[in-house]
């Protein structure tokens, strides 16, 4: 006779646990006494108390062992937005998420916390203090966002008290912090190539950037409050630093902190957006002959030149969320963590 071990509520799995956010989440979960299984396509570190399971999340048979005796699953895996590969995003974020949900049900997992994105409502035009009830973008800015929308819908619709699976989605925005492979490295690369001299637009557009430990805090609060009788079941939550900042001030603080000059010269938004669109079209037409990846994509120009900041009152009310690290401290800790990206290093 086989006895099924009752999943302990301190055993969890982190899908995407080798990534930037995933690893910070794993570290905090360990601090809080959880034992953690990581499921990822790669292993990027080793830590006592963490069991790694390597595989593609689209493969249910590979996923199931990572969910054995686990009551809580965090799903924070996704291909990087910069890959711009529609087929890959659809396979991993949509089909793969269906498989994650099926695996959770089969393995008897009780709670699934998805890392979604605040960008699921962003269409490239201003969002000021956006709440969770804004409609999903009808024209998402890229394939990544298009598939993040479908992914979030799938996870929230899977919330079913009768079947015993409770779900919630966290929507962070502009995550930054130590070990981030995107924001600071892209910025420094642009600065080193002399492309960070210009401010797109008048430089007053406000944006949310969120220190990674605040994003982790939001995930853990959501997981611990997810119960059959709680109002959070099947809902999305914005998690930000709750300190909207001028996009170009944030970029300047990071650049200056690393020893680079802050951007100074203004370029009209419409001109840069038009040029980025032209370059993107050119890259598309020439793709069979030459492959080049422009730094200025329409999506990046929209992110750099519009307001996009979000209200996180719902998370404060329902999750008891409050950022644990201020923007100023987050920037200082981030800058300190990249000695190899300093000017002259
Ligand atoms: N960074 C940000 O500013 C924001 C991120 N998010 C969301 O947060 C989550 C985490 O992002 P972040 O930590 O930045 O991303 P990372 O790329 O650092 O982490 C994602 C991890 O998932 C892995 N992965 C990708 N595809 C698969 C697959 N098919 N099977 C198993 N593992 C896979 C990646 O491996 P590999 O690196 O080899 O691809 C990587 O280790 C994502 O869902 C993202 O959409 C939301 C808002 C903002
Ligand atoms: C708030 C939020 C969603 C941030 C996302 C992070 C990235 C998309 C940005 C990180 C570095 C940024 C950057 C640009 C656009 C947006 C980022 C990629 C530029 C390409 C914008 C145009 C420039 O002048 C150069 C910038 C380099 C850095």
């Amino acid at each position: 006779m086989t006895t099924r071990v009752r999943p302990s509520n301190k055993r969890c799995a982190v899908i995407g646990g080798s990534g930037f956010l995933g690893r910070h989440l794993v570290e905090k979960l360990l601090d809080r006494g959880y034992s953690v299984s990581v499921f990822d396509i790669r292993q990027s570190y080793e830590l006592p108390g963490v069991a790694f399971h390597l595989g593609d999340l689209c493969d249910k048979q590979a996923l199931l062992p990572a969910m054995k005796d686990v009551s809580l699953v965090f799903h924070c895996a996704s291909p990087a937005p910069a890959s711009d590969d529609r087929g890959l995003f659809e396979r991993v974020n949509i089909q793969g998420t269906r498989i994650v949900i099926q695996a959770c049900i089969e393995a008897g997992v009780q709670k699934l916390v998805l890392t979604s994105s605040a960008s699921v409502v962003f269409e490239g035009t201003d969002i000021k203090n956006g709440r969770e009830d804004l409609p999903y973008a009808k024209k998402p800015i890229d394939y990544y966002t298009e598939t993040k929308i479908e992914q979030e819908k799938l996870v929230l619709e899977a919330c079913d008290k009768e079947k015993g699976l409770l779900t919630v989605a966290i929507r962070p925005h502009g995550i930054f912090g130590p070990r981030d492979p995107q924001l600071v490295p892209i910025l420094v690369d642009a600065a080193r190539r002399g492309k960070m001299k210009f401010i797109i637009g008048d430089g007053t557009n406000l944006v949310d950037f969120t220190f990674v430990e605040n994003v982790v805090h939001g995930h853990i609060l959501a997981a611990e409050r997810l119960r059959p009788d709680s109002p959070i079941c099947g809902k999305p939550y914005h998690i930000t630093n709750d300190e909207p900042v001028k996009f170009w001030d944030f970029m300047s603080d990071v650049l200056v902190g690393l020893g680079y000059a802050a951007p100074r010269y203004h370029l009209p938004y419409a001109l840069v957006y038009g040029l980025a669109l032209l370059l993107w079209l050119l890259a598309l037409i020439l793709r069979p002959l030459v492959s080049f990846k422009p730094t200025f994509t329409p999506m990046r120009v929209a992110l750099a030149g519009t307001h996009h900041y979000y209200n996180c009152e719902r998370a404060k009310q329902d999750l008891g969320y409050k950022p644990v690290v201020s923007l100023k401290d987050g920037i200082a800790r981030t800058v300190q963590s990249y000695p190899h990206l300093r000017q002259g290093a």
Side-chain angles (χ1 to χ4, degrees):
M1 194 179 88
T2 52
T3 30
R4 197 171 182 290
V5 182
R6 195 177 136 74
S8 141
N9 59 8
K10 283 277 181 178
R11 280 181 79 96
C12 64
V14 179
I15 304 175
S18 283
F20 163 49
L21 171 65
R23 181 171 170 186
H24 281 277
L25 180 58
V26 169
E27 288 169 351
K28 182 51 86 182
L29 288 165
L30 292 173
D31 275 0
R32 290 178 64 87
Y34 285 83
S35 65
V36 184
S37 297
V38 165
F39 184 89
D40 203 294
I41 209 151
R42 63 188 169 100
Q43 179 169 356
S44 59
Y45 59 95
E46 273 182 42
L47 271 179
V50 180
F52 276 89
H53 299 259
L54 298 188
D56 185 331
L57 64 82
C58 300
D59 176 358
K60 193 168 72 184
Q61 295 315 317
L63 266 176
L64 283 170
M67 294 188 181
K68 191 169 182 296
D69 304 328
V70 153
S71 62
L72 163 64
V73 169
F74 294 93
H75 176 12
C76 57
S78 167
S83 75
D84 203 33
D85 179 338
R86 185 179 206 164
L88 182 69
F89 289 133
E90 281 180 356
R91 193 179 70 80
V92 177
N93 288 348
I94 304 180
Q95 296 162 33
T97 297
R98 277 198 192 101
I99 289 162
V100 167
I101 294 167
Q102 284 165 15
C104 284
I105 294 170
E106 255 177 61
V109 168
Q110 292 145 23
K111 304 181 192 186
L112 171 61
V113 180
L114 171 73
T115 315
S116 179
S117 167
S119 299
V120 294
V121 297
F122 184 60
E123 292 191 332
T125 53
D126 291 342
I127 291 187
K128 298 179 182 177
N129 206 31
R131 292 179 182 272
E132 287 87 346
D133 54 10
L134 282 176
Y136 287 116
K138 286 195 187 66
K139 290 184 192 154
I141 52 169
D142 53 16
Y143 301 137
Y144 162 77
T145 311
E146 197 176 309
T147 60
K148 290 296 285 183
I149 295 174
E150 293 313 311
Q151 177 191 53
E152 185 186 282
K153 288 183 187 166
L154 284 170
V155 168
L156 296 182
E157 281 163 12
C159 189
D160 187 333
K161 291 174 196 171
E162 264 70 65
K163 278 194 189 150
L165 179 66
L166 304 179
T167 66
V168 64
I170 298 300
R171 292 180 179 175
H173 196 52
I175 311 177
F176 73 101
R179 300 193 297 255
D180 163 38
Q182 289 189 72
L183 198 151
V184 175
I186 293 176
L187 187 59
V188 167
D189 180 59
R192 286 182 172 167
R193 291 191 289 129
K195 291 189 175 175
M196 287 307 294
K197 295 189 171 63
F198 304 101
I199 293 173
I200 300 172
D202 64 7
T204 60
N205 56 307
L206 294 175
V207 169
D208 279 317
F209 286 97
T210 314
F211 190 63
V212 63
E213 288 181 17
N214 293 325
V215 180
V216 164
H217 183 51
H219 279 70
I220 295 178
L221 285 173
E224 292 181 350
R225 302 238 166 163
L226 193 54
R227 299 221 166 82
D229 56 350
S230 89
I232 79 169
C233 296
K235 281 198 196 155
Y237 285 88
H238 289 154
I239 290 293
T240 72
N241 243 81
D242 204 20
E243 291 178 79
V245 58
K246 288 181 186 157
F247 179 91
W248 294 98
D249 282 357
F250 181 88
M251 294 291 145
S252 299
D253 286 350
V254 174
L255 285 172
V256 170
L258 289 168
Y260 300 89
R264 286 201 306 166
Y265 309 108
H266 290 264
L267 289 174
Y269 177 78
L271 174 79
V272 186
Y273 191 83
L275 281 175
L277 211 57
L278 218 66
L279 263 180
W280 178 78
L281 272 173
L282 209 65
L284 199 72
I285 294 166
L286 296 179
R287 198 176 274 174
L289 303 170
V290 275
S291 137
F292 68 97
K293 276 200 165 181
T295 314
F296 292 84
T297 62
M299 183 268 282
R300 285 181 175 180
V301 174
L303 286 172
T306 58
H307 293 275
H308 39 106
Y309 60 95
Y310 298 85
N311 181 301
C312 56
E313 203 51 42
R314 185 191 268 184
K316 289 183 191 165
Q317 289 275 327
D318 293 357
L319 308 180
Y321 172 74
K322 186 170 174 277
V324 285
V325 180
S326 70
L327 199 63
K328 187 165 172 274
D329 290 351
I331 294 174
R333 285 173 56 183
T334 304
V335 163
Q336 243 182 10
S337 74
Y338 286 99
H340 57 291
L341 293 184
R342 287 195 158 274
Q343 161 82 304

